[in-house]
Amino acid sequence: MKIIFLGAPGAGKGTQAEKIAEICSIPTISTGAIIREAIKTGTEMGTAAKAYTEKGALVPDEVVIGIIKERLANDDCKNGFILDGFPRTVPQAEALDELGVKIDYVVDIDVDDADIVERMGGRRVCEACGMSYHIKYIPTKDNKTCDKCGAKLIIRKDDQPETVLERLKIYHEQTEPLKAFYAAKGILKSVDGRGDIAQITESILKSIKA
C-alpha cells in the first residue's frame, strides 16, 4: 500500500503516519526528518536547505525529489510506504508520477488554521534524540525533559507563531492545490484532524480500507 499524507503543518501527519505505518507494516518516509538530519550533520544538501527552512520556506524541488528517489529504492519500500511531507507542490506530484510511482491513497488531514497555531505553539522536541511531544496532547512527565532520554525539551524555530503563520500561508498557496490534483485521480480521502489521536487513526484506516 502506497500512501501520501497531506495536511497543513501541525495537522498531525507525522503522528498518524507513524501509527498507520506500524499497523500496515510499511515504512514512513518523512522528508522533514531527513532534511533536519542533513542540516544537523552539515551535509551539502543540509547546508543548501538550511536557508530555506529557517524562513519557513520550501526546500527546492530538485533537492527533495533526489532524496525521495534514493529512499524509495531501498528494499523496505517494496511492499509499500507512507510519504509524509512530500509532495508539497503540484510539480513535485507530477515528478513523482514521472518516476513511475503509483500511489494508492492520498489522505488529507483537515484542521483549521487557528487550531494549527495552538497545536504547534505547544510542540516540544528533545534536543538530544529528536523525540516530539506536545504539552497538551503528548506531554512528558514534567514537560521540560524527554521521557525517553532525559534531555531538555526545546521549541523549534519553525514552531514559533510568526513562523507558523508564514508556513500556513505557503501551505495554502503551494500545497493545498494538491487536493484537487489527487481528487481528479479519484484517490483523495479527507479525514477530520480534530479530536482524539486514536479516533483519527481509526478514521484513516476506514478511509483506506486497511
Side-chain angles (χ1 to χ4, degrees), residues 3 21 49 71 76 82 101 123 128 148 154 180-181 190-191 207:
I3 308 169
R71 183 66 183 86
D76 64 342
I82 293 174
V101 179
R123 285 209 301 202
K148 183 179 179 181
I154 60 172
F181 180 86
S190 185
V191 174
S207 74

Side-chain angles (χ1 to χ4, degrees), residues 144-164:
K144 295 179 181 178
T145 56
C146 177
D147 283 347
K148 183 179 179 181
C149 72
K152 178 183 174 184
L153 299 182
I154 60 172
I155 302 175
R156 281 174 26 201
K157 185 174 181 180
D158 56 4
D159 286 340
Q160 298 287 354
E162 61 275 13
T163 308
V164 172

Side-chain angles (χ1 to χ4, degrees), residues 126-138:
C126 176
E127 65 177 359
C129 72
M131 279 292 291
S132 183
Y133 300 96
H134 193 284
I135 59 175
K136 180 178 179 181
Y137 303 108
I138 314 173

Side-chain angles (χ1 to χ4, degrees):
M1 190 177 291
K2 299 173 182 178
I3 308 169
I4 290 171
F5 273 68
L6 290 181
K13 298 187 300 296
T15 298
Q16 293 300 331
E18 290 294 342
K19 290 185 175 297
I20 301 300
E22 183 177 354
I23 292 168
C24 296
S25 298
I26 53 178
T28 297
I29 300 170
S30 170
T31 52
I34 295 172
I35 290 169
R36 284 194 293 273
E37 180 61 25
I39 290 172
K40 182 179 178 181
T41 55
T43 65
E44 182 179 352
M45 185 202 72
T47 301
K50 186 175 182 180
Y52 293 91
T53 59
E54 284 186 341
K55 293 183 288 189
L58 296 175
V59 176
D61 282 2
E62 61 269 20
V63 176
V64 181
I65 292 167
I67 298 167
I68 294 297
K69 184 177 180 180
E70 289 181 354
R71 183 66 183 86
L72 294 183
N74 290 354
D75 288 343
D76 64 342
C77 292
K78 287 182 178 179
N79 294 322
F81 51 80
I82 293 174
L83 289 176
D84 169 21
F86 181 92
R88 289 190 177 184
T89 64
V90 171
Q92 285 184 354
E94 291 171 341
L96 194 62
D97 286 348
E98 289 170 7
L99 290 177
V101 179
K102 186 180 183 301
I103 300 299
D104 298 305
Y105 298 105
V106 177
V107 178
D108 173 50
I109 302 177
D110 186 31
V111 182
D112 291 339
D113 284 6
D115 292 331
I116 293 290
V117 174
E118 179 188 354
R119 282 187 185 187
M120 296 184 75
R123 285 209 301 202
R124 301 291 184 270
V125 178
C126 176
E127 65 177 359
C129 72
M131 279 292 291
S132 183
Y133 300 96
H134 193 284
I135 59 175
K136 180 178 179 181
Y137 303 108
I138 314 173
T140 65
K141 293 175 182 176
D142 60 6
N143 270 330
K144 295 179 181 178
T145 56
C146 177
D147 283 347
K148 183 179 179 181
C149 72
K152 178 183 174 184
L153 299 182
I154 60 172
I155 302 175
R156 281 174 26 201
K157 185 174 181 180
D158 56 4
D159 286 340
Q160 298 287 354
E162 61 275 13
T163 308
V164 172
L165 291 172
E166 178 60 25
R167 292 176 71 195
L168 283 170
K169 180 175 178 288
I170 291 171
Y171 167 76
H172 291 305
E173 290 176 353
Q174 301 186 26
T175 304
E176 202 163 34
L178 284 170
K179 288 199 243 181
F181 180 86
Y182 285 115
K185 292 177 177 289
I187 58 175
L188 181 71
K189 307 292 181 180
S190 185
V191 174
D192 189 344
R194 298 169 297 178
D196 181 78
I197 290 174
Q199 291 176 337
I200 299 168
T201 301
E202 186 62 30
S203 295
I204 293 171
L205 289 172
K206 287 180 180 178
S207 74
I208 63 175
K209 302 178 178 63

